[in-house]
């Protein structure tokens, strides 16, 4: 988790933005028995990972929004970010959440999980075994997996928002992609940007940062990701409202009386 902490520490120390680092399924202490490092044993595990990360992130975001509101802190903003495939998942979460405004910062991510089967990661799949298991040739196995991984995408997740809540969407997006990315091809990133533009809503916004180099350079260029996160939260803060918060309303009233005292007239 050093890359995650590498981002989280300066966010807190320099910008006052705290982080919750999710331990995703199939990683760390959540690795299935017999799994080597982060290499999943089955192609189906990719979708399980995707569904698990998406549902857990959405649950965490909703939980903390509810807790903050109950603590009379509706002005405290929430956001989601991720790198590489985690960037794609950040985009998915941003597309699903429509009940409250959030910041969404996908870094080096794409529209779907198709990067597993079409980018440089495709070399890590045992295509011969997969083809044997599904009873087809390798090319057919590649085509079927590619199509299947593309089903769970940002555009599809947009449809999960009930029509009655669609008008409430407020997503402040800051995308960071690499111009010469061979792990998550830039075209996948462009598809993601198009979908997030729809998810932003009338009150939301989206910015795109393209860095020179490839995927590895994107990991090293921490400053670009930090700038994007801070930028998205700054834009989010401008749309956060404190109306209806009795505690803040009382504090504002007291502050107004102190700075502009009322002097009654004497007759």
């Amino acid at each position: 988790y050093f890359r995650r902490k590498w981002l989280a520490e300066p966010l807190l120390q320099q910008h006052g933005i705290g982080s919750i680092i999710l331990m995703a399924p199939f990683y760390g202490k959540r690795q299935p028995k017999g799994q080597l490092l982060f290499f999943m044993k089955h192609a189906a595990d990719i979708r399980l990972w995707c569904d698990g990360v998406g549902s857990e992130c959405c649950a965490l975001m909703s939980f903390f929004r509810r807790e903050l509101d109950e603590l009379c802190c509706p002005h405290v903003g929430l956001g989601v970010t991720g790198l590489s495939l985690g960037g794609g998942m950040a985009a998915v979460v941003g597309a699903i959440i429509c009940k409250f405004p959030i910041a969404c910062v996908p870094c080096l991510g794409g529209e779907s999980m198709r990067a597993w089967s079409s980018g440089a990661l495709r070399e890590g799949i045992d295509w011969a075994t997969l083809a044997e298991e599904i009873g087809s040739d390798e090319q057919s196995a590649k085509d079927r997996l590619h199509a299947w991984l593309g089903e769970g995408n940002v555009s599809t997740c947009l449809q999960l928002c009930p029509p009655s809540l669609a008008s409430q969407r407020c997503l402040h997006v800051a995308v960071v992609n690499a111009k010469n990315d061979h792990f998550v091809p830039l075209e996948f990133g462009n598809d993601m940007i198009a979908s997030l533009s729809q998810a932003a809503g009338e009150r939301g916004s989206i910015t795109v940062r393209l860095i020179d180099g490839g995927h590895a350079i994107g990991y090293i260029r921490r400053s670009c990701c930090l700038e994007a996160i801070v930028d998205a939260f700054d834009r989010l803060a401008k749309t956060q409202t404190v109306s209806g918060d009795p505690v803040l309303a009382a504090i504002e009233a007291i502050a107004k009386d102190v700075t502009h005292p009322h002097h009654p007239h004497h007759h």
Side-chain angles (χ1 to χ4, degrees):
Y1 282 86
F2 77 94
R3 286 191 297 265
R4 296 163 177 82
K5 292 181 179 179
W6 197 43
L7 275 177
E9 289 174 353
L11 281 174
L12 179 61
Q13 296 167 355
Q14 301 171 22
H15 304 284
I17 299 175
S19 300
I20 298 168
I21 301 177
L22 174 70
M23 180 175 286
F26 300 96
Y27 283 83
K29 295 181 179 179
R30 301 182 68 181
Q31 284 185 357
K33 187 176 181 180
Q35 177 177 297
L36 177 64
L37 300 176
F38 53 82
F39 299 104
M40 300 178 191
K41 298 178 69 174
H42 308 286
D45 292 342
I46 301 172
R47 279 285 294 272
L48 289 175
W49 173 85
C50 177
D51 293 344
V53 171
S55 59
E56 289 176 8
C57 284
C58 287
L60 285 170
M61 294 282 282
S62 297
F63 170 78
F64 283 105
R65 181 71 277 159
R66 185 171 61 252
E67 291 295 302
L68 287 168
D69 289 346
E70 291 180 358
L71 291 171
C72 298
C73 298
H75 58 291
V76 176
L78 293 174
V80 59
T81 188
L83 288 167
S84 190
L85 296 171
M89 290 311 306
V92 164
V93 173
I96 293 174
I97 292 180
C98 54
K99 291 185 178 181
F100 50 87
I102 68 168
C104 177
V105 188
C107 301
L108 309 174
E111 165 79 1
S112 68
M113 293 294 104
R114 289 182 300 162
W116 282 98
S117 59
S118 57
L121 291 174
R122 70 182 183 276
E123 301 301 331
I125 297 177
D126 186 348
W127 294 109
T129 300
L130 181 61
E132 182 181 349
E133 289 180 351
I134 64 176
S136 70
D137 57 83
E138 288 191 24
Q139 187 57 51
S140 296
K142 292 178 181 179
D143 293 341
R144 288 178 60 179
L145 181 61
H146 190 68
W148 185 61
L149 292 176
E151 291 175 1
N153 55 56
V154 180
S155 180
T156 301
C157 291
L158 283 173
Q159 302 172 19
L160 299 177
C161 179
S164 58
L165 295 177
S167 61
Q168 299 181 27
R169 281 191 179 279
C170 183
L171 187 67
H172 291 283
V173 185
V175 176
V176 178
N177 278 340
K179 294 180 181 178
N180 300 305
D181 198 328
H182 294 289
F183 279 84
V184 182
L186 189 58
E187 64 191 75
F188 292 176
N190 291 336
D191 291 341
M192 177 187 70
I193 292 168
S195 296
L196 288 176
S197 297
Q198 298 179 43
E202 295 182 359
R203 296 184 297 145
S205 59
I206 182 168
T207 62
V208 179
R209 292 168 170 80
L210 282 177
I211 58 178
D212 294 324
H215 205 74
I217 294 297
Y219 267 97
I220 298 172
R221 293 279 298 276
R222 176 178 65 168
S223 60
C224 193
C225 295
L226 289 173
E227 290 172 4
I229 294 169
V230 174
D231 170 45
F233 270 95
D234 284 346
R235 284 183 276 127
L236 174 65
K238 295 177 181 178
T239 61
Q240 296 286 88
T241 176
V242 297
S243 60
D245 184 340
V247 175
L248 289 177
I251 293 174
E252 288 180 350
I254 294 172
K256 185 176 181 180
D257 286 341
V258 171
T259 55
H260 302 286
H262 174 69
H263 299 288
H265 294 287
H266 296 283
H267 299 284

